[in-house]
Amino acid sequence: MIMFIMFFGVLVTLFIGVTTAGSMAFISIATYFGMGEANLNNMVRLPSSMYDQVKGITLMAIPFFLLMGNFMNKGGVSKDLFAFARACLGHRWGGLANAAIASCMIMSAMSGSAAAVAAGVGMIAIAEMRRTGYDQPFSCAAIAAGGGLGPIIPPSITLILFASLVPGTSVNALFLGAIPGILTGLLFILYSSYEARHSNFGKVPAVPVHERIQLGMKAIWALLIPVIVLGGIFVGLFTATEAAAVAAFYAMLLGFFKYRKLKLADLPGIFWATAKSTGQIMFVIATAAFFQHVLLKTRIPHMVVQQMVDTFSNITPILIMIIILLLIMGCFMEGTAILLITVPIFYPLSVAYHYPTVQLAIVMCIALASGVLTPPVGLNLYVMSSITKEKVMNIGKAAVPFVLIMIFVTLLVAFVEPLTTWLPTYLGYGV
């Protein structure tokens, strides 16, 4: 009963406009008082537990990835990436949509933010797609879906947060297990080609091979960023945090010396934006520690696990319930909040059924990523609407097939273990 009161309280406070951190802190304190645990000793320990939650080296990757994304957005990286993808794919059915989604996939491997990826590619690609005869809602939906790959394809802030919530979980293992993010992008491309052919959207003339090579040489400096981040992590040169720091520095050099769109005067604004975003994320994580502390005090995770184990002989119905719950919550809440609230319940369940942690993380990540395409929250729908002035619901309708693809991949990942565990296991990481 206490669990339902806590979760209902969080949902109500979020719906009336309270921030995620404020909701979790308020409900946690109220529960503490209701349990009679709000004595001086317990209340003094709470700030310490909040600090302990955010002091780990794993979370240091977040500000560096945010800084890298800010440098790229200011430095104009997405323009060269889209030009190269357009030259390679634009002459095919759905070529411009494919190029936009491919650009989003590459940008996602540089920045884990869904909204930043959609905005960066959308401002460049949408005008050309419209000139070529693409339907505007579909164009917006394709880019919004491509941006939704941001939290799925490493480096993913969502996966870093998951690792911070589950002690002993390797960020590198989670990144290695995120291959389904690439599969999702490829399925987006296949659907876009089908829709373009079915709706007779236009094509652009084929670009000569020598021009493609020239555009590829211009884009190669930007393409090196995911190589530095993921390649460095996978071959063991860097931890995720070190890779983020190196890539942020490299993105800054690109902005100053290659693209020459970054000025010294831009640095204070970039650093401030990064610090502000980092502070907001870290405060939410800190209050999540408070929330988890109260959950443990109430023994809610233990009771839920015991009830599920007594009711179900295997994890299959539980996985289906988890996915449905995440999809519904994603329509109304931001993904980070859902992750912080649900991991303390779902992770013990996975342990009880010997379900791989990496697999659970990727299932949750993809299910939550679909929330950027589902109203009324649907962040990427609003991003594309702000760029094009198209109605959010029109974009939402056009995004339905992309959401169905994400649900399909979520189910595939949930029940086909090697998709997420083979590579981490092969390279010696625990799953």
Side-chain angles (χ1 to χ4, degrees):
M1 185 64 180
I2 295 175
M3 179 183 72
F4 292 110
I5 293 173
M6 288 183 68
F7 281 86
F8 182 73
V10 170
L11 291 175
V12 169
T13 51
L14 286 170
F15 279 133
I16 64 176
V18 180
T19 63
T20 301
S23 296
M24 288 192 291
F26 174 76
I27 296 302
S28 300
I29 292 171
T31 304
Y32 236 38
F33 275 96
M35 294 168 55
E37 295 284 345
N39 57 60
L40 182 61
N41 288 335
N42 283 336
M43 297 305 286
V44 166
R45 277 198 292 266
L46 289 176
S48 176
S49 67
M50 293 171 71
Y51 170 73
D52 289 340
Q53 184 77 1
V54 297
K55 73 176 184 180
I57 191 66
T58 299
L59 292 178
M60 282 298 296
I62 292 177
F64 287 121
F65 281 129
L66 291 172
L67 182 62
M68 178 178 66
N70 287 332
F71 278 137
M72 289 190 304
N73 289 338
K74 197 72 176 179
V77 172
S78 52
K79 184 176 181 181
D80 279 356
L81 290 176
F82 180 71
F84 178 52
R86 174 193 177 280
C88 295
L89 302 171
H91 58 285
R92 303 172 52 222
W93 283 111
L96 288 181
N98 293 349
I101 293 169
S103 299
C104 287
M105 291 174 70
I106 297 169
M107 289 283 287
S108 295
M110 304 178 191
S111 168
S113 168
V117 171
V121 175
M123 287 188 287
I124 296 164
I126 200 75
E128 187 161 0
M129 292 174 75
R130 293 293 294 123
R131 281 197 300 270
T132 313
Y134 279 73
D135 175 66
Q136 181 157 287
F138 170 80
S139 302
C140 293
I143 297 172
L149 298 172
I152 306 174
I153 295 177
S156 162
I157 291 175
T158 303
L159 291 177
I160 295 171
L161 287 177
F162 185 97
S164 74
L165 295 169
V166 180
T169 302
S170 166
V171 175
N172 291 8
L174 296 185
F175 283 3
L176 288 166
I179 290 175
I182 299 172
L183 171 63
T184 307
L186 294 176
L187 291 175
F188 285 172
I189 287 173
L190 287 175
Y191 166 69
S192 297
S193 297
Y194 164 78
E195 181 62 27
R197 190 182 188 97
H198 180 262
S199 301
N200 199 30
F201 296 151
K203 305 179 186 178
V204 295
V207 176
V209 174
H210 73 275
E211 190 173 333
R212 294 185 197 182
I213 294 173
Q214 289 175 350
L215 290 170
M217 293 304 295
K218 281 187 67 178
I220 196 167
W221 297 101
L223 292 171
L224 283 175
I225 295 179
V227 173
I228 291 171
V229 175
L230 303 180
I233 291 173
F234 294 169
V235 302
L237 289 177
F238 310 124
T239 64
T241 302
E242 291 164 348
V246 171
F249 182 69
Y250 177 74
M252 182 184 71
L253 294 180
L254 279 186
F256 275 124
F257 302 112
K258 173 65 175 70
Y259 298 103
R260 297 183 179 180
K261 292 188 176 181
L262 197 61
K263 309 296 180 187
L264 282 174
D266 296 326
L267 292 183
I270 289 174
F271 290 142
W272 170 246
T274 302
K276 185 178 178 181
S277 298
T278 301
Q280 291 170 339
I281 292 172
M282 293 299 185
F283 187 61
V284 171
I285 296 170
T287 54
F290 189 0
F291 191 78
Q292 290 178 53
H293 181 79
V294 175
L295 283 177
L296 292 174
K297 276 283 187 182
T298 62
R299 293 179 55 82
I300 287 173
H302 173 79
M303 289 187 292
V304 170
V305 170
Q306 191 61 52
Q307 179 67 38
M308 290 297 181
V309 170
D310 291 343
T311 306
F312 301 107
S313 60
N314 63 72
I315 199 171
T316 299
I318 296 173
L319 284 174
I320 293 172
M321 286 190 291
I322 286 173
I323 292 168
I324 292 172
L325 180 63
L326 292 174
L327 292 171
I328 293 172
M329 292 178 74
C331 294
F332 303 98
M333 295 172 62
E334 195 268 327
T336 300
I338 301 171
L339 188 79
L340 295 171
I341 293 169
T342 56
V343 166
I345 302 292
F346 295 163
Y347 172 67
L349 275 171
S350 71
V351 172
Y353 286 93
H354 307 289
Y355 192 75
T357 302
V358 169
Q359 195 174 359
L360 174 68
I362 306 304
V363 167
M364 293 187 68
C365 192
I366 300 175
L368 292 176
S370 67
V372 301
L373 299 176
T374 52
V377 172
L379 179 60
N380 280 13
L381 304 182
Y382 291 94
V383 169
M384 296 311 301
S385 177
S386 68
I387 293 172
T388 63
K389 308 307 177 187
E390 183 65 59
K391 291 181 179 179
V392 169
M393 289 310 298
N394 290 343
I395 303 173
K397 290 176 185 176
V400 168
F402 294 103
V403 174
L404 293 177
I405 289 171
M406 297 181 88
I407 294 173
F408 168 74
V409 175
T410 303
L411 292 170
L412 197 64
V413 170
F415 298 107
V416 183
E417 182 182 325
L419 275 176
T420 51
T421 61
W422 175 80
L423 190 55
T425 302
Y426 179 75
L427 294 177
Y429 291 96
V431 297

